[in-house]
């Protein structure tokens, strides 16, 4: 049995967390600190926190012996997850007695027991917190139950205060937290104005009570997007208040981010048009030159022109393929079924297919005895190209990009590491969103349409693997891909 929790150390560490939040820190960095603090206090070998969204979950923070799980998707429809979400709030589970890939991978890392609890805000499950133990004897006591529930409650409060969480920035949690509510009469006079309404609009109850609702309302039962004077957008709904004859319930929430994403899509179209136009212009220029001056050009210039046309046509084909894949949000239905393959050999072939400039920057250190991975070998070239291209884009000239690989008991891993500007902790998950860019508008320093990492994640997860980003010690970024071990 693990030792009693070290309450004194936990309270001191928790006080430090609060001070860091008050000083402006938020999001994943604080979440990581909380998990490391909880791991020590609970005597666990590792901790994970899975955040839940509309369609599924994802492990967005992991520490200790569970760090390998970072970025791993969580299927909300699996029997195990359903049990965790609907049974007792806090449970002790022997991992070797439940089905699924996560328990198999965890036991492969020497983990035996999981103490899990839900992080609940109101009636919304924002995520689940897991403490993992190695030995059969490490069965948590009631004190461990109480402490992990306390930690989960604090994490839920972080969501309530929206201090950089949720990581993904969308889903039912944000919608519920951001909903303002007003009750008005048929003269549109405000009779009730809840605290969330004050938060969303910046108007206090004293400002609006008995005054006319400060924005329009839609037809009952419908929705309306309305832009406030300060540029923010509200999504407004209205319905009759049950049991009354002269009252209307109006709910509203800030959807400015959604409208910004719509703007990002416009930017995506503009960027894509530019990226398509560049190779097309080059191809047309060289083709016109060959057509008009074939006899005047020396042989080496004709060969150079045809080489450029071929190279640019290849780039154009890849770009079109990415655009078509990204347009299909339901996910590709094609591709080979996962089978065992030699990952080292696949990576070396993929390396040879990289553009010359990227190959020169890449330092490859692959073991000779790596176990086989289970997946779609044909996708490795695409995955490696996207990850190395991304590393190249955010790294200074002359710096090295490293390709390494290793394995553990249940997965085969390869990493692309750079010494570039580094990924911000709050962006390590959003970077995989479709069309997402760390910068927008005139501030953008780096080209691209926000598709590469989105496509990489889709391709890898189709093979029962997962991918994650994290800041690199000493500066830079590490992209890590994990596939099941053969």
């Amino acid at each position: 049995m693990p030792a009693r929790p070290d309450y004194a150390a936990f309270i001191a560490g928790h006080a430090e967390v609060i001070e860091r939040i008050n000083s402006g820190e938020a999001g994943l960095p604080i979440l990581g600190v909380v998990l490391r603090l909880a791991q020590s206090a609970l005597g666990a070998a590792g901790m994970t926190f899975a955040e839940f969204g509309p369609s599924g979950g994802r492990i967005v923070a992991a520490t200790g012996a569970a760090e390998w799980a970072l970025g791993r998707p969580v299927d909300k429809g699996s029997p195990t997850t359903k049990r965790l979400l609907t049974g007792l709030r806090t449970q002790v589970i022997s991992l070797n007695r439940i089905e699924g890939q996560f328990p198999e991978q965890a036991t492969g890392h020497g983990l035996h027991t999981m103490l899990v609890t839900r992080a609940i805000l109101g009636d919304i499950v924002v995520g689940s917190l897991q403490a993992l133990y190695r030995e059969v004897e490490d069965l948590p006591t009631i004190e461990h139950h109480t402490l992990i529930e306390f930690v989960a409650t604090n994490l839920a409060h972080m969501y309530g205060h929206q201090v950089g969480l949720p990581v993904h920035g969308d889903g039912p949690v944000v919608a519920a937290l951001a909903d303002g509510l007003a009750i008005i009469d048929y003269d549109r006079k405000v009779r009730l104005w809840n605290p969330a309404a004050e938060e969303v609009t910046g108007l206090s109850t004293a400002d609006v009570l008995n005054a006319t609702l400060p924005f329009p309302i839609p037809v009952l039962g419908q929705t309306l997007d309305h832009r406030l004077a300060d540029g923010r957008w509200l999504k407004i709904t209205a319905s009759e208040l049950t049991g009354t004859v002269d009252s209307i319930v109006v709910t509203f929430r800030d959807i400015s981010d959604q409208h910004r994403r719509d703007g990002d899509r416009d930017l995506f179209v503009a960027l894509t048009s530019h990226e398509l136009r560049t190779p097309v212009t080059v191809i047309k220029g060289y083709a016109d030159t060959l057509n008009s001056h074939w006899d005047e050009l020396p042989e080496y210039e004709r060969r150079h022109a045809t080489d450029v046309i071929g190279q640019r046509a290849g780039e154009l084909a890849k770009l079109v393929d990415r655009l078509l894949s990204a347009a299909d949000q339901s996910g590709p239905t094609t591709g080979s079924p996962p089978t065992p393959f030699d990952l080292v050999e696949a990576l070396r072939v993929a390396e040879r297919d990289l553009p010359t400039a990227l190959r020169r920057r890449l330092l490859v250190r692959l073991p000779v005895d790596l176990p086989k991975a289970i997946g779609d070998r044909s996708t490795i070239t695409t995955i490696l190209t996207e990850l190395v291209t991304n590393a190249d884009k955010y790294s200074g000239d002359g710096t090295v990009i490293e390709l390494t690989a290793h394995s553990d008991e249940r997965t085969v891993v390869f990493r692309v590491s750079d010494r570039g500007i580094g990924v911000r902790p709050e962006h390590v998950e959003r970077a995989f969103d479709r069309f997402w860019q760390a910068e927008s508008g005139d501030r953008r320093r780096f080209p691209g349409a926000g598709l590469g990492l989105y496509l990489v994640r889709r391709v890898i997860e189709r093979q029962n693997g997962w991918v994650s980003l994290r800041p690199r010690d000493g500066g830079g970024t590490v992209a890590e891909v994990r596939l099941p071990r053969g």
Side-chain angles (χ1 to χ4, degrees), residues 266-402:
D266 293 339
L267 175 62
F268 162 74
V269 171
L271 291 169
T272 302
S273 299
H274 172 74
E275 292 194 28
L276 286 170
R277 190 178 297 116
T278 300
V280 168
T281 301
V282 173
I283 290 170
K284 185 177 185 303
Y286 275 96
D288 287 346
T289 299
L290 290 174
N291 185 54
S292 303
H293 305 284
W294 180 271
D295 294 331
E296 304 168 23
L297 294 173
E299 177 66 17
Y300 74 88
E301 289 193 14
R302 291 200 294 262
R303 287 186 178 277
H304 174 70
T306 55
D307 286 344
V308 172
I309 290 174
Q311 178 185 350
R312 292 294 185 163
E315 294 173 1
L316 185 61
K318 290 180 180 178
L319 178 58
V320 170
D321 183 61
R322 294 170 71 194
L323 296 175
L324 292 175
S325 297
D328 176 17
Q329 297 188 64
S330 62
T333 57
T334 59
S336 304
T339 55
F341 70 96
D342 186 335
L343 180 60
V344 168
E345 190 268 340
L347 287 171
R348 292 200 179 279
V349 171
E351 175 203 356
R352 291 196 294 270
D353 286 343
L354 291 172
T356 302
L358 290 184
R359 288 203 310 273
R360 288 173 178 167
R361 295 192 66 179
L362 193 63
L363 174 62
V364 180
R365 294 185 297 185
L366 300 176
V368 296
D369 56 349
L370 195 69
K372 288 189 175 182
I374 298 179
D376 183 354
R377 183 194 182 286
S378 65
T379 64
I380 297 301
T381 295
T382 298
I383 294 169
L384 183 66
T385 300
E386 294 291 353
L387 294 181
V388 174
T389 300
N390 197 65
D392 174 72
K393 182 166 67 173
Y394 295 104
S395 301
D397 294 339
T399 59
V400 172
I401 300 169
E402 299 177 41

Side-chain angles (χ1 to χ4, degrees), residues 15-35:
E16 180 185 347
V17 168
I18 294 173
E19 289 179 4
R20 293 175 66 167
I21 291 175
N22 290 338
S23 67
E25 291 189 59
L28 283 176
I30 291 296
L31 187 56
V33 171
V34 172
L35 258 63

Side-chain angles (χ1 to χ4, degrees), residues 419-439:
R419 287 297 183 190
I421 63 173
V423 61
R424 292 167 57 180
E426 62 267 29
H427 291 166
V428 295
E429 278 297 317
R430 296 203 64 193
F432 292 100
D433 289 350
R434 187 168 175 256
F435 303 148
W436 187 81
Q437 298 280 354
E439 299 173 321

Side-chain angles (χ1 to χ4, degrees), residues 43-48 66 95 102 106 111 113-115 130-134:
M47 300 285 297
T48 60
L95 292 167
F102 177 79
L111 300 171
T113 303
M114 177 169 67
L115 174 64
Q130 292 77 225
L132 296 130
Y133 296 86
R134 291 192 184 280

Side-chain angles (χ1 to χ4, degrees), residues 114-130:
M114 177 169 67
L115 174 64
V116 57
T117 191
R118 296 190 287 272
I120 306 172
L121 185 63
D123 58 354
I124 300 169
V125 179
V126 300
S128 64
L129 179 64
Q130 292 77 225

